[in-house]
């Protein structure tokens, strides 16, 4: 029965699955029909019809009448006489909540009007704005789906329900959902009536329930993903109204992906590709340490796991702006809507006074792996004053609060957070990623504790061990100050020896924590004056600070420049490393910061001569990039410091730029992303590529890595993979995400290669 | 008579002119013999003999004896019996004053010892150091010249003299020199006796004088350069002892080159290649404005023209270090020696208490075009205390003085300087350069006066007209401060209108001065807080300064960034330009500073829309270089700001670097040159080349220039020429040198091409 009604109206039984013609929803319904699933019959007024309507203002009335007659014949009922239809939109790209829907249409002319209404809703201001924001072409258009309505409120053997094919919170297998007897779907969704767990349906309508289980299995197999299904039972007969991939928590996403791979529904590669960085983040996300110690302010629903601390903001736009400035925020709203997505993505956590576990805010934050407390009804939010009050406490914009998505509690102030334990499935996904990824993922760690974290998160080693922090203990600080103020050779030698002993202790602790992992230790990169107390009353100290002060400290007397003027500091550090190495064997390399000339690198190599340590360098100045060839010959490895490099490429001082004008740059669309968070591919990226090209020309097997902030950013990691970087080194928490993205990049790259090869083969066949 | 004495000793009559064997002096003597000039007979103990002597300690005694016998036969006298010889060194590269000389040798064994002494002097520490400094190979070696002595003190018809074939100070044609009757050359050189002008010789020995004129003409024709000749008349017979290219003042260098080109001794191209930047600088060098107004401290000889102001230093090393820091110095010494050359080159002027017009200091400063006052005998110099006293005035290291090389007066303090008038020959050379150069030379000028200077120096236009200085008048300053502090729209509009009127007046004056020259006006590039008084007591002003202050102002809220946050400033500037243009027609383009993204440039283009002005941009950020392709599409021209670019490439803040560690970098050989003075070819240069390549790929005919400090540096200009830069824009004073170097670069390039072509042709012939 593949009769086409003038090619602009398609009955579901026509089995046309073209999304361009029928939109997403329409094509999915046809797919279900094709799979033999019980779908209420209907037809689609296609995108071609919309095009014609747009051009002429005319609907293909005859074709619609014909399709309707056919529907009436199939249902054995006439419209308005036992038969009602719904009219919905269906675009090729999901635009949730943007288009109009008309339900319970019972006569022909309202049926035509409804189709017009649906088509017209394509041009509403909010739809236009949504398309602009999401880069959706207005030419794409939409279809209108006319479908027989089924009635969950027809009798006692009727009802309506929604279900996930697996638990969306934990990922556990088995149907998970809600059931409302004798009710229409709208009653369930609106929350007007309290639903029952799905088990109630099982007791009441065992056959329909078994059929539902079968439907769920079939749909999962077909779509290879957990489904979110709406269904209605009309006098004991099951109808599937809609299916789509279900939103889920990060933990569930991991479990579902691993389980589906084990069930042979997915390949390991597809399981990895299915994961998003947010899925992992929601698992890795910190939780409150000993929450029982603190007095909560109020409580809501624990809608999305993990805890977050941040500045209170009331508008999503502000969350977005502050995120670009690297400020953590908690977005507080009465409720959220699809318009707030970007603000939610930018915030560290979400708190609402209204809504439930299936509300927009709950679903979205869960999907993003973002802690949220939803429906904290005691909250009185004043959006105008940008403050909320609860239990006589007033919290204003800018105050800090902590939300606990694990318990639903909200606290004032910043509570100490700790991380969750990884699940078995999490570890499985990580081990698959380890197998499939081509680039290494190391961790940045300055202390023994951080080294342990890197090991716990499965890092390949320590890509960056900074030594600046070691000078922050009172003893070391006192010693380095003495060094700066010291004048005689004797004084200097004495204090250097003390510093060496202190450093050695630090290194011994770190080396022990390594347990065989390699580590790259970066020699000191700090202007000396930062070690001096700014408010000192000692005139000698103040005179010295004045002398060491700089107009532009970012570009001042730091890094290897310090080693040129004061070689004894690096010498001391290297000696300390060697002494520590004699106590605890470890695989250690040295890294030189801020190198601009070959001579500087050779200078440090001379200081390190005879140590047997490899000597690499940070690529964090533009000049080093320009001299990548000759430097490659003299260096054992390169590690890009993308933070400093970004500052140099942009001629931005990060502190100043973020305070003074970056916000305006985002507002006015001069910059899209904060280049200190997401690698600036066109500028910094191009410089890196150029440098890597020159370096590998000189030394093809030079190990090149990235240890700047971008090393932990998913979008940037994919760029680094394409640049043929050997490893990234990021903060311990970001290691799992980095591994995931690294594996995904490898898989995608392989698939692209294979796709290209296929094109070639096919072309050859043609010839 | 081409008998070779075992190939290690060469009689002059052997006519061997091989510099590698005979050294410079020896080969020149042979050349003169070949030309038929009267040279005292002699022979050369060759470099091969030196090699053998170095290896075995043995001289080729038999060969030397034979050569000596031959000399005795030729002179008709025996050694010690009416015949004496001199023994001198002769290396292939001039090492003035470094090697030993033995005169008046009258017996054989002293003769052998003298040769040994000359050979041994190759290995003295000062010779070794000289070679190291000048990159001369120790393997090159030297010959020893044994020559019959002639005696200017033999009788009344004898005498000795030195002459330049043209006036070394003015370049005037005609012999110029000194004559000492009945004396040996040494008496003349040492200054023990007072010489007479050369005219005295003409009266006394008219035939010898005529012969001397002929010799001078012959030598000039041969060497194609003005000669510095030493001669002796022995009983009426003229002997030429030595000839070499004569040192001269810049003014003389220009006149001699132009005259020789007109006399067909040189081509125009060779005349241009003969010029050095220092030659031109000595002409362009400023002079004291109305010196009669000032009370001089003391007076010496006016040894080298021009006046200079600077900090007093007593050691050449200090002059060199301070020059790298861009500090002007006057080097004060009792006298100077060849060791001081680099310090003299680094100083702006030289002052000595001893020596005359032919002293080392006088000759060297004249050649360098550096003002000097020599032999200011009242000066009591205390090198230990680093001070000098004169007439009860004590001047210490660090004090500022002015030396007037035009009059020989020395003044305390910095006197106002003005520039000299260009000579006809100077203008001729410049017009030849204009014909031959391929790249444009523009001037940087912010005021109508500076524009006039650019025109006077023959600049092709104004490549950079900065607008920052226009805000420094009390009126404009008051207005911009009001703008910064203004809060209401009305306040701002009012003050912007006032600023526009002030700017318009400035532009009208500049446009009038242009007289048809094109000009590129750079829109404001200054952080707003620089306009506020730092010591203000007004709390509003102080609060505002605090808010505007930056940690790294070099990379802060400046340039086009200001136009993004405060577009009204650029709008005001553009309006002012257009209003001025309506009063005085002028060829004006706009230049945008500190661009990093295409969006910024487009933003300013929008502000300038409808103005009809071309909009170009400074290439002074690394990101702009990386984005050169897309930016080229949107820009009408590029101008590299090499100062800021150097800072970004090096991650150096110039102020900090020069104060804190650059000196150490030079001392330890990490850097050779100050990258803020001489373009860093390997880093900044490579970045520029890369950017130019990308830009021209997008827009092959894009006009690209350089307007940073390096645009006036001779070495850098040659690099820019090779990069295919269209023009450089430098300070007005540097325009002539820039034109010269630009012309020289074109000529050299053409010759290199022709030489390559010749190689190709010859190879083809061989095949």
């Amino acid at each position: 029965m593949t009769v086409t009604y003038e090619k602009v109206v398609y009955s579901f039984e026509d089995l046309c699955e073209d999304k361009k013609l029928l939109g997403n929803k329409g094509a999915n319904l046809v797919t279900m029909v094709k799979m033999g699933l019980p779908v209420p019959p209907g037809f689609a007024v296609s995108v071609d019809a919309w095009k014609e309507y747009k051009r002429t203002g005319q609907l293909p009335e005859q074709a619609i009448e014909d399709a309707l007659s056919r529907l009436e014949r199939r249902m054995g009922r006439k419209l308005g006489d036992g038969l009602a239809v719904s009219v919905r939109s269906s675009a090729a790209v999901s635009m949730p909540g943007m288009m109009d829907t008309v339900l319970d249409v019972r006569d022909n002319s309202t049926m035509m009007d409804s189709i017009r209404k649906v088509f017209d809703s394509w041009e509403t201001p909010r739809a236009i704005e949504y398309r602009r924001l999401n880069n959706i072409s207005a030419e794409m258009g939409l279809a209108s789906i006319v479908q027989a309505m089924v009635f969950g409120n027809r009798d006692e053997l009727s009802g309506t329900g929604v279900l996930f094919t697996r638990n969306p919170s934990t990922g556990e297998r088995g149907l998970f959902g809600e059931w409302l007897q004798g009710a229409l779907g709208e009653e369930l969704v609106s929350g007007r009536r309290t639903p029952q767990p799905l088990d109630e349906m099982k007791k009441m309508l065992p056959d329909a329930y078994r059929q539902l289980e079968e439907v769920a299995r079939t749909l999962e197999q077909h779509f290879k993903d957990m489904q979110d299904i709406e269904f209605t039972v009309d006098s004991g007969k099951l109808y599937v109204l809609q299916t789509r991939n279900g939103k889920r928590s990060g933990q569930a996403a991991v479990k579902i992906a691993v389980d589906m791979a084990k069930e042979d529904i997915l390949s390991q590669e597809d399981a990895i590709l299915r994961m998003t960085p947010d899925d992992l983040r929601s698992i890795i996300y910190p939780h409150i340490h000993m929450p029982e110690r603190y007095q909560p302010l109020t409580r809501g629903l624990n809608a999305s796991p993990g805890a977050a601390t941040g500045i209170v903001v009331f508008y999503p736009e502000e969350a977005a702006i502050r995120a670009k400035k690297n400020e953590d925020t908690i977005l507080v709203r009465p409720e959220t809507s699809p318009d707030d997505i970007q603000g939610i993505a930018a915030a560290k956590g979400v708190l609402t006074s209204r809504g439930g576990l299936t509300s927009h805010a709950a679903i979205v934050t869960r999907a993003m792996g973002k802690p949220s407390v939803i429906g904290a009804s005691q909250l009185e939010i004043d959006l105008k004053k940008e403050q909320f009050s609860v239990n006589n406490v007033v919290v204003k914009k800018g105050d800090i609060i902590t939300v606990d998505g694990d318990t639903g509690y909200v606290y004032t102030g910043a509570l100490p957070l700790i991380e969750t334990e990884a699940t078995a499935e999490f570890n499985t996904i990580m081990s698959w990623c380890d197998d499939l990824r081509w680039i290494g993922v190391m961790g940045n760690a300055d202390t023994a504790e951080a080294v342990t974290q890197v090991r716990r998160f499965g890092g390949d080693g320590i890509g960056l061990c900074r030594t600046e922090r070691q000078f922050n203990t009172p003893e070391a600080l006192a010693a380095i100050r003495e060094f700066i103020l010291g004048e005689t050779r004797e004084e200097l030698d004495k204090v250097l020896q003390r510093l060496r002993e202190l450093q050695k202790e630090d290194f011994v602790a770190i080396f022990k924590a390594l347990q065989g992992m390699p580590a790259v230790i970066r020699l000191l990169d700090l202007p000396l004056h930062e070690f001096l107390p700014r408010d000192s009353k000692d005139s000698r100290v103040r005179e010295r600070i004045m002398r060491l002060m700089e107009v532009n400290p970012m570009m001042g007397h730091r890094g290897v420049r310090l080693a040129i003027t004061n070689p004894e500091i690096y010498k001391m550090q290297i000696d300390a490393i060697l002494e520590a190495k004699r106590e605890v064997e470890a695989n250690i390399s040295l890294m030189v910061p801020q190198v601009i000339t070959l001579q500087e690198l050779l200078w440090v190599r001379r200081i390190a001569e005879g140590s047997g340590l490899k000597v690499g360098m940070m690529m964090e100045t533009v000049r080093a990039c320009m001299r990548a060839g000759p430097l490659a010959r003299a260096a054992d490895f390169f590690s890009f410091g993308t933070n400093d490099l970004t500052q140099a490429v942009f001629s931005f001082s990060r502190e100043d730029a973020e305070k003074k004008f970056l916000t305006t740059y985002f507002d006015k669309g001069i910059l899209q992303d904060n280049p200190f968070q997401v690698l600036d591919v066109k500028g910094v990226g191009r410089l890196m590529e150029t440098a890597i090209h020159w370096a590998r020309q000189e030394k093809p097997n030079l190990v090149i890595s990235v240890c700047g902030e971008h090393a932990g950013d998913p979008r940037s990691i994919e760029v680094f993979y394409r640049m043929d970087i050997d490893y990234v080194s990021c903060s311990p928490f970001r290691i799992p995400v980095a591994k995931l993205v690294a594996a995904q990049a490898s898989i995608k790259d392989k698939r692209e290669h294979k796709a290209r090869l296929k094109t070639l083969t096919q072309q050859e066949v043609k010839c």
Side-chain angles (χ1 to χ4, degrees), chain A:
Chain A
M1 289 238 289
T2 51
V3 181
T4 307
Y5 289 84
E6 291 189 273
K7 293 188 178 164
V8 287
V9 177
Y10 296 84
S11 194
F12 294 169
E13 293 83 23
D14 294 345
L15 300 184
C16 165
E17 286 179 274
D18 186 342
K19 279 189 188 176
K20 276 189 197 146
L21 276 179
L22 270 60
N24 230 351
K25 192 183 291 164
N28 273 359
L29 285 169
V30 172
T31 301
M32 288 199 285
V33 170
K34 212 170 167 182
M35 290 159 74
L37 299 184
V39 173
F43 58 89
V45 184
S46 74
V47 174
D48 286 343
W50 167 81
K51 281 180 186 161
E52 192 64 17
Y53 172 72
K54 201 183 162 197
R55 202 171 59 84
T56 64
Q58 299 293 317
L59 287 175
E61 300 203 1
Q62 187 54 49
I64 293 169
E65 298 278 2
D66 290 350
L68 194 59
S69 306
R70 198 171 159 206
L71 179 61
E72 287 172 336
R73 279 198 301 278
R74 197 180 139 78
M75 295 300 288
R77 292 177 193 146
K78 287 274 175 195
L79 192 63
D81 180 13
L83 173 65
V85 294
S86 63
V87 183
R88 293 171 210 262
S89 68
S90 174
V93 172
S94 170
M95 294 168 65
M98 287 297 145
M99 302 288 113
D100 285 349
T101 292
V102 185
L103 296 176
D104 210 6
V105 175
R106 290 172 187 271
D107 67 78
N108 277 24
S109 71
T110 315
M111 190 191 90
M112 296 300 176
D113 285 350
S114 305
I115 294 170
R116 276 194 196 93
K117 196 175 170 205
V118 168
F119 278 175
D120 288 343
S121 68
W122 184 254
E123 303 294 351
T124 58
R126 65 171 190 167
I128 292 169
E129 177 65 10
Y130 184 92
R131 287 199 296 271
R132 195 186 64 77
L133 285 173
N134 292 277
N135 242 329
I136 299 171
S137 161
E139 299 308 306
M140 197 185 61
L142 78 170
S144 176
I145 307 296
V146 180
Q147 201 174 9
M149 288 194 69
V150 288
F151 294 91
N153 59 354
R154 194 179 298 277
D155 52 29
E156 279 190 1
L157 293 178
S158 302
T160 190
V162 294
L163 69 83
F164 292 94
T165 54
R166 305 186 186 220
N167 186 315
S169 186
T170 64
E172 291 291 327
R173 267 169 273 193
L175 303 192
F176 178 93
E178 289 166 341
W179 160 257
L180 203 54
Q181 193 195 1
L184 287 171
E186 283 62 39
E187 290 175 275
L188 180 71
V189 173
S190 71
R192 263 176 276 151
R193 283 177 55 188
T194 308
Q196 295 170 291
L198 209 55
D199 282 350
E200 292 302 314
M201 177 198 170
K202 191 176 180 177
K203 291 178 202 156
M204 206 175 298
L205 298 160
D207 287 347
Y209 187 85
R210 254 195 311 281
Q211 199 188 349
L212 198 57
E213 284 182 319
E214 184 56 29
V215 163
R217 211 186 50 76
T218 309
L219 285 170
E220 264 200 356
Q221 288 281 352
H222 181 83
F223 291 106
K224 295 181 187 301
D225 201 355
M226 182 263 261
Q227 295 296 299
D228 170 356
I229 299 169
E230 292 176 22
F231 66 94
T232 287
V233 182
D234 189 336
S235 285
K237 181 166 166 43
L238 176 73
Y239 288 98
V240 180
L241 302 184
Q242 185 169 322
T243 191
R244 55 188 167 191
N245 294 338
K247 298 208 183 298
R248 68 209 74 180
S249 74
Q251 195 186 323
V254 171
K255 181 161 172 51
I256 291 169
V258 170
D259 285 351
M260 284 192 164
K262 290 186 174 165
E263 293 161 28
D264 283 331
I265 297 174
L266 288 179
S267 68
Q268 281 187 9
E269 288 187 359
D270 283 320
I272 289 172
L273 288 178
R274 184 68 56 83
M275 299 283 91
T276 68
D278 280 333
D279 290 335
L280 298 192
R281 275 194 209 111
S282 77
I283 297 178
I284 304 150
Y285 241 90
H287 300 270
I288 295 171
H289 184 57
M290 306 217 187
E292 65 276 11
R293 286 186 183 176
Y294 304 92
Q295 182 63 39
L297 184 66
T298 186
R299 188 175 192 178
L301 300 168
N302 50 339
S304 179
T309 280
I311 292 169
V312 168
V313 297
F314 292 86
Y315 289 96
E317 294 78 2
E318 182 155 23
I321 288 168
R322 286 185 188 248
K324 286 186 175 166
K325 294 193 244 170
N326 253 353
E327 291 179 6
D328 294 350
T329 56
I330 306 293
L331 179 63
V332 181
R333 299 286 304 173
E335 66 218 336
T336 68
S337 74
D339 294 342
D340 303 338
I341 293 280
Q342 279 173 317
I344 297 170
K348 286 284 165 183
V350 173
L351 169 62
T352 72
S353 57
R354 296 208 288 264
L357 286 179
T358 54
S359 68
H360 179 265
I363 291 172
V364 166
T365 51
R366 217 150 46 214
M368 285 184 180
K370 197 147 301 226
S372 71
V373 172
I374 302 300
S377 51
Q378 290 183 305
L379 242 58
E380 281 179 44
I381 299 178
D382 187 334
L383 287 175
K384 243 191 192 157
K385 286 193 185 160
E386 296 193 64
Q387 64 178 43
F388 69 78
S389 59
V390 54
N391 301 327
N392 295 322
V393 176
V394 175
V395 176
K396 294 183 179 168
K397 181 178 92 162
D399 292 349
I400 291 175
I401 62 170
T402 300
V403 293
D404 188 349
D406 296 314
T407 61
Y409 283 114
V410 179
Y411 304 83
T412 52
L415 267 54
L417 305 179
I418 51 155
E419 324 78 70
T420 45
E421 284 298 312
T423 61
E425 287 84 3
F426 178 86
N427 291 332
T428 304
I429 275 280
M430 285 294 103
S431 77
W432 291 351
C433 288
D434 287 345
D435 278 353
L436 287 163
R437 68 189 161 90
W438 285 33
I439 64 174
V441 176
M442 301 216 189
N444 300 344
D446 309 343
T447 61
E449 293 71 36
V451 169
T452 305
Q453 270 184 336
V454 170
R455 235 196 18 261
R456 210 160 56 79
F457 280 115
D460 297 323
I462 307 301
L464 175 64
C465 174
R466 284 173 289 247
T467 53
E468 291 77 41
R469 200 194 279 184
Q470 296 180 5
F471 290 91
N472 273 342
T473 65
E475 275 172 303
L477 200 56
I480 191 82
R481 282 178 186 172
E482 270 183 56
F483 172 79
I484 297 167
L485 298 169
E487 271 158 19
T488 69
R489 193 66 258 168
E490 244 179 18
E491 279 174 2
L492 293 179
D493 285 346
K494 228 170 76 185
V495 76
L496 279 169
Q497 191 181 333
R498 204 153 80 247
L499 277 170
R500 196 179 70 229
E501 282 159 15
L502 289 169
Q503 291 248 292
K504 189 200 116 183
E505 284 171 36
D506 287 330
F507 288 130
V508 165
I510 288 172
F511 293 0
K512 281 183 184 159
L514 283 174
Q515 298 194 14
M517 286 197 301
V520 176
I521 295 175
R522 190 175 74 185
L523 296 165
L524 194 67
D525 177 16
L526 214 60
L528 286 183
H529 71 80
E530 290 207 4
F531 290 115
L532 293 178
R534 261 152 223 273
D535 50 356
S536 171
K537 293 209 171 68
D538 183 335
S539 66
R540 197 170 65 136
V541 176
R542 273 168 44 200
E543 179 273 332
R544 202 63 186 232
I545 291 180
M546 282 309 292
R547 199 132 62 84
L548 293 171
M549 271 306 209
E550 294 176 328
V551 184
N552 295 290
M554 225 293 291
M555 310 167 82
H557 188 179
R558 46 179 294 212
V560 69
R561 295 167 196 176
L562 204 62
I564 307 292
T565 56
N566 302 70
E568 56 274 28
I569 296 179
Y570 278 16
K571 179 84 178 61
M572 174 276 288
Q573 289 198 300
I574 293 167
D575 287 346
I577 290 167
L578 293 177
E579 283 176 29
K581 225 164 135 347
R582 275 192 286 275
E583 284 192 25
V584 188
E585 187 42 43
N587 179 353
I588 300 301
S589 306
L590 299 178
M591 186 145 71
V592 190
Q594 289 289 329
V595 170
I596 54 165
T597 78
L598 180 61
Q599 293 306 321
E600 288 171 329
L601 182 60
L602 296 177
W603 177 272
V604 179
R605 287 210 86 113
R606 276 193 295 273
I607 297 176
E609 210 156 47
S611 70
L613 301 171
K614 284 190 176 157
V615 179
M617 57 174 278
M618 294 284 290
M619 294 291 279
E620 55 186 343
T621 68
V622 177
R623 198 173 189 283
C625 293
M626 288 295 122
R627 301 287 291 150
L631 286 168
R633 282 198 296 268
D636 293 319
F637 56 90
F638 280 175
S639 192
F640 281 94
T642 47
N643 303 359
D644 273 17
L645 209 50
T646 300
Q647 299 197 66
V649 168
F650 279 77
S651 285
F652 274 0
S653 154
R654 180 169 183 173
E655 304 177 69
D656 298 325
E658 291 187 340
K659 258 186 264 166
K660 301 286 163 57
F661 55 83
L662 264 191
T663 309
T664 314
Y665 266 59
F666 302 135
D667 288 348
K668 300 198 173 169
I670 307 285
L671 286 177
Q672 303 305 317
D673 294 303
N674 185 335
F676 296 111
Q677 285 174 1
V678 180
L679 186 84
D680 162 50
V681 176
K682 294 175 179 175
V684 181
R686 183 156 207 182
L687 178 64
M688 291 173 69
E689 268 179 344
T690 309
I692 292 168
H693 174 72
W694 286 334
R696 289 253 166 80
Q697 271 186 330
E698 286 298 330
K699 199 188 257 185
N701 59 350
L702 182 74
V703 173
I704 302 179
S705 64
V706 177
C707 66
E709 193 150 329
H710 306 87
D713 172 67
R715 275 198 274 168
S716 309
I717 292 169
E718 196 160 337
V719 175
F720 297 144
Y721 169 85
R722 305 265 170 186
M723 284 181 188
D724 221 358
I725 285 284
D726 295 303
Y727 65 87
V728 293
S729 185
C730 55
S731 70
F733 273 90
R734 302 177 87 174
I735 289 175
V737 169
K739 284 182 167 191
L740 174 70
V741 178
Q744 287 179 336
S746 302
I747 296 167
K748 283 188 226 166
D749 195 16
K750 186 183 80 178
R751 293 191 176 183
E752 279 167 26
H753 275 80
K754 291 203 168 178
R756 282 205 291 278
L757 191 65
K758 208 168 167 184
T759 325
L760 183 72
T761 322
Q762 285 171 341
Q763 279 177 343
E764 277 176 349
V765 168
K766 275 184 196 161
C767 303

